[in-house]
Structure formats: structure tokens, C-alpha cells
Amino acid sequence: MCVDPHGIPVMAVVDSEMMASAPRSLKVATGLDALTHAIEGYTTAGAWKLSDLFHLKAIQTIAASLRHAAEGDAEAMERMALAQYVAGMGYSNVGLGLVHAMAHPLGAFYGAPHGVANGILLAAVMAYNAPSTGERFRDIAAAFGVEDAMTMPLEDARAAAVEAVAALARDLGNPATLREVGASEADLPALAQAAFDDVCAGGNPRPAAVAEIEELYRSVL
Ligand SMILES: [Fe+2]
């Protein structure tokens, strides 16, 4: 990770027409990255009322739009362009979490596209984080359109949020295992140490030791 004030653009052009000629796999990967920004931003240790507004709106929009945007629907791509920007306005002020911390080494070790790596990890890390997220997974489930998300038992709402995210990644055809991006069992200890040392790990709502991170990698190997 490189973080520096000089990396902040003076101006950004957000033009969803640029998505039209991008390959489907790029629409899927960048869309899953935007979803990861929104979900990690909503549950990160530094989240607060204002950043919540950005992240919840982004989750809701991405949940309703990414499947259609991946197939090239112009209105859905326009909604994704707005959602990724809104998510960025949120998380760039409050931080991310363990999905990003674990995705970065997959890029460094194997050249795995960032969004693909996030898409493999997101549901598994959400399930790990669930006990440390209070009522927040209810909101995520509701943003995905899960009926009764606000009234069902908390454990059920948490499971529904994780399943909604897993189903989206599955439907989009994102790789589901680390082996598909080149990882092997022998690399897991080094990956886990790199993820533990990543700047994003500190924002995770549930602290994770190196051994727990290694186990999370193994669960999606
Ligand atoms: Fe990202």
C-alpha cells in the first residue's frame, strides 16, 4: 500500500460510458472492489454517522446494480459509477479492514486483480467479523433487499448479509478460491504475515492474529 497526500487527485472524471468497452471481468472485479469498500467502510473501526450515509447508499446501489452493470446495461453502469464514487468518499475518510489487508498480498504475490481478490475474501471475512459488528449486518442485509432483515434474530440477519454477498460474487462468476489466482498451502503463512502487517488490518472491527488470518485464507483456499 502506498498512501500519500500527493496521491489525491485534483480532479476526477467519473464517466460511466468508459465502462462500456471494458471487458465483463473488469466490470465484475471493480464492482466487487467497490462493494468491499462500502461494506468494510460501513463496519470499520473508525465508521461514524456521516460515513455511514455514504456506505449504506453505496451498498444498496451496488446490490441492485452490479449484476446488470456486468452485462453492460447503461443505466446500471451509471449507478455503479456513482456508487463507487460515493463509497470512496466514505472509506477514504474512515479506513477499511481485513478484506483489503488480505487482498493486497494476493496482488503482490500472484498478480491477482485487486477486485477479484476482494471478491474471493469478502464473504469469509464478513462471517469472521460478524460477532464484532453489532447490528450493522442487519443494515447490510436490508440494503441487499432481505425481507424482515430489521426484525429477524440478529444471528439470522448476519448470516443473510454474508449469504447475500456470497451469492452476488457467485452469480457474477468471480473466482471462489485462492488456488484460482495461484495461491498454494505453502504460501499461507507468508500471506498471513503480510496481511497482518498491512495498513488496512488496523481498521478491522475484529482484531485478528496472524494464525487467525492464515485460517481465513485456508477457508477459501
Ligand atoms: Fe479496494
Side-chain angles (χ1 to χ4, degrees), residues 33-34 36-37 91 96 100 104 114-115 118:
D33 186 31
T36 308
H37 294 157
Y91 88 83
L96 291 166
H100 271 77
H104 293 149
H114 175 62
N118 281 331

Side-chain angles (χ1 to χ4, degrees), residues 111-137:
H114 175 62
V116 170
N118 281 331
I120 296 170
L121 295 162
L122 181 55
V125 173
M126 284 177 71
Y128 172 81
N129 282 341
S132 302
T133 55
E135 299 278 327
R136 287 188 167 239
F137 276 26

Side-chain angles (χ1 to χ4, degrees), residues 193-209:
Q193 186 63 54
F196 181 82
D197 293 337
D198 188 277
V199 66
C200 291
N204 202 58
R206 180 177 175 187

Side-chain angles (χ1 to χ4, degrees), residues 73-96:
D73 180 275
E75 288 180 13
M77 288 191 295
E78 177 86 36
R79 292 195 298 272
M80 283 301 302
L82 178 64
Q84 66 79 22
Y85 180 65
V86 166
M89 290 180 74
Y91 88 83
S92 58
N93 284 288
V94 294
L96 291 166

